[in-house]
Amino acid sequence: MEKQSQFLKINNESRVNLELKKYEKNIYSQFGQDGVLEEVLSKICPLENINAFEVGGWDGVKLSNICNLAVNHNSNCIFVEANKKKYLQILENHKSRINKNKVFAFNEYLTAKGGSSAGNLIKKAGIKELDFISIDVDGMDYFIFRDLDISPKVILIEFNQTFHSDIEFIQEEDPSLNFGASSTAIAKLAIKKGYSIIHYFECDLLLVRNDLLEKMHFKTIPYQEITSKHYSYIGFGYDAKMFSFGFGEKKGPYCPWEKNLKISTTKFQALPSFLQIKYDSPKPVQFILLRFFIRLIYIGAIRKIPSYIKRYFEDSNKR
């Protein structure tokens, strides 16, 4: 009799109707943001009058969420980039617009207070009120949003799309880390700050200030309804064999930043194969008990290894 193969299907269809999806297009952006932003921001005022701000401006062109506004719509745009080399590229790429005071660039780390806060930077640019801000710094996005000293009408903010919407994940408040935050963590912060989700892209949430929702006629999206093709899932067989599923090769986990990384659905195991056994196995009870005690020893030892390693290096550094 032929052995039946494992059946696996992952459902990640969008649970909501994304009414703005039809406007998605890329001119400089990565996931269709340019087209949607044209549609959304045009409901605030003519695009040439829009005041836009991008945190994590890179070179002011590549994958930028406001370059289209600057180049094709003559909007007032501010780029903030902490990397000096990339900042100089912004100055070169937008030289003519900078000379006309339509584009401003700052080589800064955005802070909650002081001269490098968003509020102070827009004052330096002669802007009184901000219509739109894009936050994309691959890590500290959540904290930048938390500490904004202004309330832009529209916000585009990056989230880590590998964390399921059931997960509220926030990296440590450390600029040296590049983990980011889950969509749910950012969405809950948005609720506290008076914003709602009107659209989401592969790794960005598009938020509108609640007092403008009725005027702009956009439906809101519950954060629980956000889906992603980058989620991974873990399951266990009754013998403790671990299965990790995703949208990678052969339905294995998928890392969007390392697309050539091939991970088997069974590559990672909490227990080695010789300790994967069902308790109601037909094998002799003595055999089951032996494996049970070996499991306890194995799990106990594994848990202590990181502390042993840490202690070893701490002792080495003291010598």
Side-chain angles (χ1 to χ4, degrees):
M1 183 176 177
E2 186 180 352
K3 186 177 180 180
Q4 186 176 354
S5 62
Q6 294 177 3
F7 174 77
L8 170 63
K9 182 179 180 182
I10 305 172
N11 297 312
N12 76 317
E13 294 87 359
S14 178
R15 299 168 190 161
V16 292
N17 177 29
L18 297 176
E19 61 179 354
L20 291 170
K21 193 167 184 64
K22 62 186 176 184
Y23 298 105
E24 289 183 1
K25 69 177 179 181
N26 291 317
I27 301 171
Y28 297 98
S29 61
Q30 187 175 16
F31 297 117
Q33 293 95 328
D34 283 335
V36 173
L37 289 173
E38 285 178 342
E39 172 64 17
V40 171
L41 297 178
S42 65
K43 292 184 179 298
I44 295 174
C45 64
L47 292 178
E48 62 266 25
N49 296 329
I50 286 290
N51 298 320
F53 190 114
E54 186 158 44
V55 189
W58 198 239
D59 65 357
V61 176
K62 185 178 180 181
L63 306 183
S64 170
N65 293 317
I66 68 169
C67 186
N68 176 50
L69 295 171
V71 173
N72 295 315
H73 299 289
N74 202 32
S75 303
N76 305 303
C77 293
I78 301 171
F79 293 91
V80 176
E81 175 53 52
N83 182 295
K84 184 65 177 289
K85 184 178 179 180
K86 294 300 178 185
Y87 161 74
L88 294 175
Q89 289 178 340
I90 293 173
L91 299 183
E92 182 63 30
N93 290 331
H94 292 281
K95 184 187 297 184
S96 63
R97 285 173 284 277
I98 289 172
N99 290 337
K100 294 176 183 177
N101 289 327
K102 290 298 290 184
V103 167
F104 301 85
F106 297 99
N107 182 211
E108 307 274 1
Y109 283 99
L110 207 66
T111 59
K113 299 177 181 178
S116 295
S117 73
N120 275 297
L121 292 180
I122 66 171
K123 285 179 184 176
K124 288 181 182 179
I127 292 173
K128 293 182 179 180
E129 187 178 17
L130 198 63
D131 299 305
F132 171 66
I133 189 168
S134 170
I135 304 172
D136 183 348
V137 298
D138 295 340
M140 291 287 285
D141 311 76
Y142 177 93
F143 302 104
I144 290 172
F145 182 26
R146 182 196 68 185
D147 295 338
L148 276 181
D149 59 343
I150 53 176
S151 298
K153 297 181 178 73
V154 179
I155 297 175
L156 184 72
I157 180 168
E158 185 180 44
F159 65 92
N160 186 326
Q161 69 269 39
T162 65
F163 290 100
H164 195 278
S165 57
D166 288 344
I167 304 297
E168 190 172 349
F169 173 85
I170 307 167
Q171 73 161 55
E172 291 179 47
E173 192 171 354
D174 182 347
S176 69
L177 300 178
N178 298 107
F179 305 147
S182 66
S183 59
T184 293
I186 292 175
K188 287 187 174 182
L189 177 61
I191 291 169
K192 290 180 182 178
K193 293 177 74 71
Y195 289 85
S196 295
I197 304 169
I198 62 165
H199 191 70
Y200 67 90
F201 303 91
E202 186 162 313
C203 55
D204 289 322
L205 297 181
L206 186 60
L207 313 172
V208 167
R209 213 169 62 200
N210 289 338
D211 61 304
L212 298 169
L213 282 173
E214 187 174 347
K215 174 185 175 182
M216 298 175 79
H217 304 293
F218 291 125
K219 293 180 181 178
T220 61
I221 298 171
Y223 64 84
Q224 299 92 334
E225 301 299 303
I226 292 174
T227 57
S228 171
K229 66 181 180 182
H230 303 306
Y231 291 156
S232 293
Y233 305 83
I234 296 292
F236 288 92
Y238 295 117
D239 58 356
K241 186 179 183 69
M242 186 168 73
F243 298 88
S244 52
F245 308 114
F247 296 90
E249 187 171 288
K250 296 182 180 179
K251 299 291 178 71
Y254 176 68
C255 176
W257 306 284
E258 298 291 346
K259 296 182 180 179
N260 294 323
L261 191 64
K262 298 175 181 178
I263 306 173
S264 163
T265 57
T266 57
K267 184 173 182 178
F268 301 107
Q269 292 299 321
L271 293 171
S273 58
F274 74 93
L275 293 180
Q276 295 171 7
I277 185 169
K278 288 177 66 178
Y279 287 101
D280 60 352
S281 169
K283 293 183 180 294
V285 65
Q286 296 90 340
F287 184 79
I288 303 298
L289 287 173
L290 176 61
R291 285 200 172 183
F292 174 74
F293 286 116
I294 294 175
R295 274 190 186 189
L296 293 178
I297 294 169
Y298 178 85
I299 294 171
I302 287 294
R303 285 175 178 170
K304 292 178 181 178
I305 285 174
S307 61
Y308 289 149
I309 294 173
K310 181 179 178 181
R311 192 183 310 160
Y312 171 80
F313 283 108
E314 286 176 347
D315 291 342
S316 299
N317 292 332
K318 290 178 183 176
R319 294 180 193 136

